[in-house]
Amino acid sequence: MLYDINLRITYTYEVPVSGGRHVVRVLPVSLPDRQRLVAGTVTCTPPPEERRDSVDFFANPSTSILFRRQHEKLVIRMQARVQLEPQALTADFSPDLAGFPAELASVWSLDANSPHHFLGASPRLPDDTAIAAYARGIARPGMTIRQIATAICAEIHKDFVYDPKATTVDTTPREAFKLKRGVCQDFTHVMITALRSLGIPAGYVSGFLRTIPPPGKERLEGADAMHAWVRFWCGTTAGWLELDPTNNIFAGLDHIVVGHGRDYSDVAPVIGVLKSYGSHKTEQAVDVIPLQ
């Protein structure tokens, strides 16, 4: 499947700002046998005084930009063409929970894809007793790692209400779990916390999700969105799999990966600092256009 992706993030400041330094992570990543970035660009208006394109520890493309001049608005644009390959879901070769620690201990690598980076607490995901109890109530003796993850994904989808007004980007998993409401980031953070509480390595996937309009309706420009879902490690044979708790599905041809991390803090689309006072407004528009 071939896609053209267009993203625009606009920051409008109440008063002119200066001294801004940001890291932008919005360009889709190339993944062996899964996804290929055919071409892609990240541009800014106004143009930054300094710019550096690099790859971070988790192999995510990132762009570091620096502004010295004052500006009242910042527009970040990303254009990309991405080729996705279908991923067949094979038989379940993951071990059960009892035999999992021994398999995990056999992994000596500490590279970016190592499951050991995704086991403990991370910057936005501390241990949580309530979420851990929730996970223990779902996992049953004899269930495989994949069965446990699939069951937790389905339970979150059933118990939580998608509500963009209920949470913010800074809402903690504990708060979202109490509310049983939120958006994809919240569902993903709760599921990661639940899996880690059982000793299952789990991480955050940032990307794009193609949305399909209702029958008879035109696709609205800018109506697609950045999305988040979960990757979890199923052992040395099965490796990493991905589940989308917002939609209760395995990630497929409509899920385009931008980056992997331990939680949102590792893959936030834009982070940084600037000199200013007053408020600002942020707008985001995404188009994911299938070409074949």
Side-chain angles (χ1 to χ4, degrees), residues 85-220:
E85 301 297 333
Q87 303 295 299
L89 192 62
T90 62
D92 186 355
F93 294 110
S94 62
D96 62 18
L97 200 56
F100 193 59
E103 189 153 345
L104 185 60
S106 70
V107 178
W108 286 76
S109 170
L110 286 177
D111 65 15
N113 215 33
S114 170
H116 297 296
H117 298 304
F118 304 90
L119 263 176
S122 54
R124 285 188 175 234
L125 301 184
D127 296 334
D128 188 277
T129 55
I131 297 176
Y134 181 75
R136 289 194 302 271
I138 297 170
R140 297 282 183 269
M143 292 175 71
T144 66
I145 299 301
R146 190 168 104 180
Q147 288 173 335
I148 292 170
T150 304
I152 291 175
C153 179
E155 203 70 13
I156 290 173
H157 183 263
K158 176 176 70 72
D159 293 342
F160 286 63
V161 175
Y162 187 86
D163 182 357
K165 297 181 179 180
T167 57
T168 71
V169 70
D170 295 317
T171 298
T172 67
R174 174 173 295 182
E175 292 167 339
F177 183 74
K178 288 180 180 179
L179 290 170
K180 297 295 190 295
R181 310 179 80 86
V183 294
C184 58
Q185 176 183 311
D186 304 302
F187 302 161
T188 296
H189 275 166
V190 169
M191 183 171 169
I192 292 171
T193 304
L195 289 171
R196 289 180 185 172
S197 73
L198 298 172
I200 301 172
Y204 192 102
V205 188
S206 171
F208 299 102
L209 177 65
R210 178 173 72 105
T211 56
I212 300 174
K217 298 290 186 180
E218 293 289 335
R219 193 186 67 83
L220 300 177

Side-chain angles (χ1 to χ4, degrees), residues 219-274:
R219 193 186 67 83
L220 300 177
E221 289 189 11
D224 298 306
M226 291 204 75
H227 193 48
W229 59 97
V230 177
R231 70 195 299 247
F232 61 101
W233 194 70
C234 287
T236 54
T237 301
W240 291 95
L241 295 177
E242 297 177 6
L243 277 165
D244 179 349
T246 307
N247 298 291
N248 192 27
I249 56 174
F250 279 92
L253 282 176
D254 291 330
H255 293 76
I256 302 158
V257 178
V258 167
H260 298 126
R262 295 163 299 171
D263 56 41
Y264 175 80
S265 64
D266 287 333
V267 289
V270 184
I271 58 172
V273 296
L274 49 79

Side-chain angles (χ1 to χ4, degrees), residues 19-100:
R21 183 183 289 274
H22 312 284
V23 177
V24 180
R25 294 186 180 93
V26 293
L27 193 65
V29 67
S30 288
L31 301 168
D33 304 318
R34 160 76 183 274
Q35 175 177 298
R36 181 169 67 94
L37 178 64
V38 179
T41 61
V42 176
T43 60
C44 303
T45 305
E49 278 74 40
E50 293 182 17
R51 170 175 175 155
R52 182 171 65 90
D53 295 294
S54 61
V55 175
D56 66 19
F57 175 78
F58 292 111
N60 306 318
S62 64
T63 300
S64 178
I65 52 177
L66 171 66
F67 298 93
R68 294 189 179 92
R69 295 189 301 268
Q70 285 193 341
H71 51 282
E72 297 178 350
K73 178 184 289 189
L74 171 61
V75 181
I76 299 170
R77 291 185 175 88
M78 187 280 295
Q79 293 178 299
R81 178 164 291 182
V82 180
Q83 176 78 47
L84 266 68
E85 301 297 333
Q87 303 295 299
L89 192 62
T90 62
D92 186 355
F93 294 110
S94 62
D96 62 18
L97 200 56
F100 193 59

